[in-house]
């Protein structure tokens, strides 16, 4: 096969700072940013901001009443030890292997992956094409918006890689990270949200709401731009996921399709769930109100949760109850969000 298609010049990007290799063990959440002395701007401007957006790590609110005395849990599966460059190198290798098997896809993979010189560049353009609006907002304008946010925010770049590793490690259907990057709408919706969240907290709410609206239409995943999402998050299948404005989702969380993290009325303030690290939320689950799901807990499919769930316990039913009872709940010895085990708690027999 001719290699000319696969060796096109790398995409250059004026928004990308000098690259620095970073530790793969430092996974982070979405960040809150502030914009000072903001001039009147076009929310879709592709010009890098000069307003001093400052990103800081979120310190997740602890749940002292829900934590067990011992917390020696295994290393998160989404943090498998790969270097940041290794993730991108593996994606390129996966695509090249597919080109060998299916030469007809050579130009397709070249445009989406191989002509880009970084994961950030490929992701920014892919999201821009997916979320563009013909004759109104072209992909080129959106690409600038996505590229600016992703390249300027190291926490987003690390979280993107953690999410890719999470899909590979936890989803048996995800044989290659390249497929997750290209096709998995849960992953793509999550990355679109990361950009929207950065814009929202920086005061660029018109642009944030545009991304939120388009992402909801295209991916059938509705995450309010103000919601805070951690790293190493897996939205498996993802169709019908709704996450409200004041919701918080921790690191290494796995959420299946048709899940709602919603409110219970029209009150303002903190009114949406807070999901701890390593939680597994089964399909069709609705968690409503400002309730806390403790670290490593499991919520069974189809449950309706209206009260706090302690760390490393299992809640099932409508309304949800703890397996083993409130006074003596069955305790899990692994983070449920990493194990993806939906049935080990059940004593159901036919």
């Amino acid at each position: 096969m001719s290699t000319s298609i696969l060796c096109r010049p790398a995409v250059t990007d004026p928004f990308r700072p000098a690259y620095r290799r970073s530790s793969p063990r430092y996974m982070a959440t979405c960040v809150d940013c502030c914009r000072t002395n903001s001039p009147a701007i076009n929310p879709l401007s592709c010009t890098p901001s000069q307003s001093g957006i400052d990103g800081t790590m979120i310190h997740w609110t602890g749940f002292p009443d829900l934590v067990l005395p011992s917390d020696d849990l295994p290393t998160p599966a989404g943090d498998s030890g790969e270097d940041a460059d290794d993730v991108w190198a593996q994606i390129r290798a996966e695509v090249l292997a597919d080109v060998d098997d299916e030469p007809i896809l050579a130009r397709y993979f070249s445009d989406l992956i191989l002509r880009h010189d970084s994961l950030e560049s490929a992701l920014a353009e892919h999201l821009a094409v997916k979320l563009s609006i013909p004759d109104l907002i072209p992909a080129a304008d959106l690409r600038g918006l996505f590229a600016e946010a992703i390249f300027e925010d190291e926490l987003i770049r690390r979280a993107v890689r953690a999410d890719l590793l999470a899909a590979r490690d936890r989803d048996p259907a995800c044989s290659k990270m390249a497929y997750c990057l290209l096709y998995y709408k849960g992953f793509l919706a999550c990355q679109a949200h990361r950009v929207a969240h950065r814009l929202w907290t920086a005061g660029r709410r018109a642009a944030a709401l545009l991304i939120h609206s388009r992402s909801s239409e295209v991916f059938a995943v509705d995450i309010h731009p103000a919601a805070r999402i951690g790293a190493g998050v897996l939205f498996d299948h993802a169709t019908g996921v709704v996450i409200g404005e004041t919701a918080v989702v921790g690191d290494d969380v796995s959420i299946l399709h048709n899940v709602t993290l919603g409110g219970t009325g029209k009150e303002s303030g903190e009114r949406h769930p807070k999901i701890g690290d390593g939680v597994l939320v089964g399909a069709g689950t609705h968690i409503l109100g400002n309730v806390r799901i403790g670290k490593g807990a499991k919520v069974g499919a189809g449950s309706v949760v209206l009260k706090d769930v302690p760390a490393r316990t299992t809640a099932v039913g409508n309304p949800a109850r703890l397996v083993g009872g409130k006074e003596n709940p069955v305790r899990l010895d692994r983070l449920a969000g990493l194990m993806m085990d939906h049935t080990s708690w059940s004593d159901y027999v036919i």
Side-chain angles (χ1 to χ4, degrees), residues 75-80 162-174 231-236 250-255 278-280 335-342:
T75 302
D79 182 5
S80 302
D163 294 347
L164 286 166
L165 291 169
R168 183 201 65 185
D169 293 342
R170 296 178 218 158
D171 183 356
C174 183
V233 173
L234 171 63
F235 289 110
D236 194 0
D251 296 334
D252 302 306
V253 171
S254 297
I255 296 177
V279 168
L280 172 62
L335 290 176
L338 304 182
M339 301 309 296
M340 300 297 289
D341 181 355
H342 294 267

Side-chain angles (χ1 to χ4, degrees), residues 193-227:
H193 166 75
R194 296 191 190 284
V195 173
H197 179 74
R198 177 180 170 86
L199 294 169
W200 180 271
T201 54
R204 301 177 66 179
R205 298 197 169 184
L209 288 171
L210 169 68
I211 294 173
H212 162 243
S213 175
R214 288 295 295 153
S215 183
S216 179
E217 293 171 1
V218 173
F219 302 127
V221 176
D222 189 339
I223 309 175
H224 192 282

Side-chain angles (χ1 to χ4, degrees), residues 4 21 38 52 91 102 138 156 236 240 275 344:
S4 60
R21 293 171 77 89
S38 298
I91 289 173
E102 295 289 351
I156 291 181
D236 194 0
I275 310 298
S344 63

Side-chain angles (χ1 to χ4, degrees), residues 173-191:
C174 183
S175 58
K176 297 184 179 182
M177 286 191 289
Y179 298 162
C180 179
L181 172 62
L182 295 175
Y183 308 133
Y184 283 31
K185 62 183 180 181
F187 169 80
L188 294 172
C190 187
Q191 310 326 309

